[in-house]
Amino acid sequence: MTSLIADRVSYHIGARALVDDVSLTIHPGRLHAVVGPNGAGKTTLLRLLTGDLEPDTGEVRLGDRPLQQWRPREAARQRAVLSQQVVLQFAFTVTQVVEMGRAPYRDRDTPAEVARAVAEALAATDIAHLANRSYPTLSGGERRRADLARVLAQHTPVVLLDEPTAALDVHHQDLVLTVARKLADRGGCAVVAVLHDLNLAAAYADRIAVLADGQLRADAPPSEALDAELLSEVYRHRMVVIEDPVHGGPLVLPSRGRSHLPVPSEQGTMAPERGGPDRCLTRADRWGRVVRADDSARRVDEASMGSAR
């Protein structure tokens, strides 16, 4: 089993630290989500983990040795990468794109092995019916699933996914993360996924790393990482965390629209709280934390007002 470890890595552009002294371990058999606001350093951290960038300080280790010591073909047999943006201008078919995932094994693959890997990847991502379509003619969501199929066909013990659910509808968001979950549970893979949807991270990840301004603010199971006060501060937006009525894990509710936010009633349904806009939403969740959304958000608002003066 292969682990991927970032040991106190930093990466700078000029004087600005895009990633600042971050340590993270992606364990085999685990799905590790990375979340945070825009510009937090999520993609930069993933590129450090893939070897696309070399850290200014610290070290990334793939298995038992530093990532930079792996030869390209060796590394490609150990870790597969879904980048945030994949650009293919030529009219490859979807099958040809997925076959690219077998490139590291060209010296030993048989045609039957390639065909089997491609067919399994197409089925897993629900695009078998698009096998002969030209890649540039696909919708954004279809392209995203074709790119994921290429990653699956690579058959590596470490999988890195940068916003795998981007451009996907609700059904296919769950399909993609179910695939990622199976890679960890059944395949024993070490999987890391950069996600913007906090509730998808809560539903599928074993651990969640919260990044802000290049720094690691939390790295814990969803019930601990998704703290209302921390999220309100990091996203500079009021957040409430309640118990998911279906799955039982944390459910993050950003404050939107009118200030009259709903809160769970004693019967477990959503009911408006009485008391006007200055009231403070307070409840104890199943993990014993008291969620005080307005208090934490007010501190964020006051800090941002102070910095603007």
Side-chain angles (χ1 to χ4, degrees):
M1 296 295 181
T2 305
S3 295
L4 184 63
I5 301 170
D7 184 11
R8 303 196 65 177
V9 296
S10 296
Y11 185 81
H12 296 77
I13 294 294
R16 182 186 175 192
L18 301 186
V19 172
D20 186 9
D21 196 30
V22 170
S23 294
L24 199 66
T25 299
I26 314 301
H27 293 284
R30 298 290 182 89
L31 172 54
H32 210 130
V34 179
V35 305
N38 293 337
K42 302 183 298 296
T43 293
T44 302
L45 176 60
L46 198 77
R47 293 184 67 193
L48 291 169
L49 292 172
T50 65
D52 288 344
L53 296 175
E54 189 169 352
D56 298 326
T57 60
E59 182 180 70
V60 176
R61 294 193 297 277
L62 177 61
D64 59 356
R65 66 184 196 260
L67 185 57
Q68 298 302 323
Q69 292 183 7
W70 288 82
R71 295 179 179 177
R73 176 172 287 190
E74 287 182 319
R77 290 176 176 178
Q78 293 296 315
R79 57 101 179 94
V81 182
L82 176 64
S83 300
Q84 188 177 117
Q85 294 182 330
V86 179
V87 180
L88 286 175
Q89 300 294 346
F90 299 102
F92 294 109
T93 66
V94 170
T95 294
Q96 289 172 326
V97 170
V98 179
E99 285 176 345
M100 294 176 187
R102 300 306 300 169
Y105 310 98
R106 283 178 181 163
D107 59 336
R108 66 189 194 195
D109 260 353
T110 66
E113 288 171 334
V114 173
R116 182 168 57 253
V118 170
E120 290 173 352
L122 291 172
T125 53
D126 192 26
I127 56 169
H129 61 292
L130 301 174
N132 296 318
R133 279 275 299 274
S134 172
Y135 180 88
T137 70
L138 301 179
S139 71
E142 290 168 340
R143 290 188 189 191
R144 203 64 181 147
R145 285 184 283 144
D147 297 332
L148 177 62
R150 172 185 53 78
V151 168
L152 297 181
Q154 202 166 331
H155 289 180
T156 59
V158 177
V159 178
L160 301 105
L161 309 171
D162 195 355
E163 298 189 25
T165 58
L168 298 183
D169 58 45
V170 171
H171 170 71
H172 287 109
Q173 287 178 359
D174 281 319
L175 181 148
V176 164
L177 287 178
T178 296
V179 169
R181 185 71 262 170
K182 288 179 179 177
L183 287 174
D185 291 340
R186 300 180 186 178
C189 296
V191 183
V192 57
V194 171
L195 298 172
H196 274 292
D197 190 319
L198 299 174
N199 291 317
L200 285 176
Y204 288 96
D206 295 296
R207 292 181 71 86
I208 298 177
V210 181
L211 283 182
D213 297 322
Q215 297 182 334
L216 187 64
R217 299 295 305 275
D219 181 23
S223 59
E224 299 174 23
L226 298 180
D227 175 79
E229 185 170 351
L230 172 64
L231 295 178
S232 296
E233 176 190 346
V234 163
Y235 285 91
R236 305 176 69 85
H237 192 93
R238 293 175 179 172
M239 300 284 194
V240 178
V241 180
I242 65 172
E243 182 178 338
D244 189 314
V246 177
H247 304 290
L251 180 66
V252 181
L253 302 177
S255 171
R256 290 184 173 131
R258 295 174 299 174
S259 61
H260 194 66
L261 293 176
V263 294
S265 69
E266 291 181 359
Q267 289 75 27
T269 59
M270 300 302 287
E273 185 187 30
R274 304 180 186 276
D278 292 330
R279 81 279 178 270
C280 177
L281 303 183
T282 304
R283 71 182 294 272
D285 63 16
R286 65 179 293 195
W287 302 283
R289 299 193 310 269
V290 175
V291 176
R292 300 180 62 85
D294 282 39
D295 277 0
S296 59
R298 187 176 296 115
R299 285 194 290 274
V300 175
D301 292 342
E302 289 171 353
S304 61
M305 289 291 289
S307 62
R309 290 192 182 106

